């Protein structure tokens, strides 16, 4: 690809970190059924791609340089992803009788892998699952996490196959 400026390259790289989870979130929101498995799948998939990307681009998300109009599109995509996380989280809270005002936690926990990579230089392979499990527990989910993990693995395997 040809990019006119370095900012165009940065914008494309940053947008690439949210586009796939944003699409998956839209698919999961459109599905019927309990919200917990859908949110778990989103959190695992999103955290996995943040952990496994070649560069820790998420570390750039909050730089003041990205607050300019040039990166408004990226910020809008990231915010839409946050809103989709919240939508699923609110549904989990309602289904599980969880604590109110915790709907921001899943998105924030997933993005914690960015700091982990900055601090430790790595993201342990089980980190996405731990984050997803913890997010659901924080929202009041007290179901079978082992079954949820199996469901997420199967769902994401099918999703990955559909993308290729």
């Amino acid at each position: 690809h040809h990019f006119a400026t370095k900012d165009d390259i940065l914008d494309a790289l940053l947008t690439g970190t949210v586009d796939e989870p944003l699409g998956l979130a839209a698919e999961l929101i459109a599905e019927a059924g309990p919200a917990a498995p859908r949110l778990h799948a989103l959190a695992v998939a999103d955290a996995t791609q943040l952990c496994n990307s070649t560069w820790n681009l998420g570390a750039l998300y909050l730089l003041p340089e990205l607050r300019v109009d040039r990166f408004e599109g990226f910020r809008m995509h990231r915010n839409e992803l946050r809103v989709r996380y919240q939508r699923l989280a609110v549904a989990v809270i309602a289904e599980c009788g969880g604590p109110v005002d915790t709907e921001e936690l899943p998105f924030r926990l997933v993005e914690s892998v960015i700091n982990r990579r900055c601090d430790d230089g790595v993201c342990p392979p089980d980190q996405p699952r731990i984050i997803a499990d913890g997010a659901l527990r924080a929202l009041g989910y007290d179901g079978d996490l082992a079954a949820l993990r199996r469901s997420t693995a199967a769902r994401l395997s099918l999703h990955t196959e559909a993308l290729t």
Side-chain angles (χ1 to χ4, degrees):
H1 300 301
H2 173 74
F3 295 95
T5 68
K6 290 179 183 177
D7 281 351
D8 291 341
I9 296 169
L10 180 58
D11 189 42
L13 290 170
L14 289 169
T15 300
T17 65
V18 295
D19 280 349
E20 191 172 322
L22 191 57
L24 177 59
E27 291 173 27
L28 294 169
I29 287 170
E31 286 182 15
R38 294 181 285 143
L39 180 58
H40 193 268
L42 176 60
V44 168
D46 193 10
T48 298
Q49 70 92 21
L50 287 170
C51 280
N52 293 342
S53 63
T54 304
W55 301 284
N56 190 9
L57 294 172
L60 304 175
Y61 285 2
L62 303 178
L63 288 176
E65 292 85 354
L66 296 184
R67 298 273 177 217
V68 297
D69 289 344
R70 169 68 187 88
F71 297 104
E72 178 65 21
F74 160 71
R75 289 194 315 275
M76 286 175 36
H77 281 114
R78 182 174 172 265
N79 188 60
E80 181 58 30
L81 179 59
R82 184 181 63 82
V83 167
R84 290 178 184 179
Y85 265 96
Q86 286 178 332
R87 188 169 169 188
L88 287 168
V90 166
V92 171
I93 292 166
E95 291 169 4
C96 299
V100 295
D101 298 330
T102 56
E103 67 274 0
E104 278 279 331
L105 285 175
F107 180 75
R108 301 301 175 192
L109 287 171
V110 166
E111 286 199 343
S112 73
V113 301
I114 295 165
N115 289 332
R116 177 81 189 256
R117 284 185 71 179
C118 285
D119 292 344
D120 301 338
V122 296
C123 187
D126 59 346
Q127 195 68 33
R129 178 196 51 81
I130 291 168
I131 287 171
D133 291 358
L136 286 177
R137 289 294 194 223
L139 299 177
Y141 179 79
D142 63 359
D144 182 355
L145 285 175
L148 197 58
R149 290 180 202 127
R150 288 189 300 275
S151 168
T152 291
R155 178 189 303 260
L156 294 180
S157 176
L158 291 173
H159 180 76
T160 301
E161 289 174 15
L163 293 176
T164 57

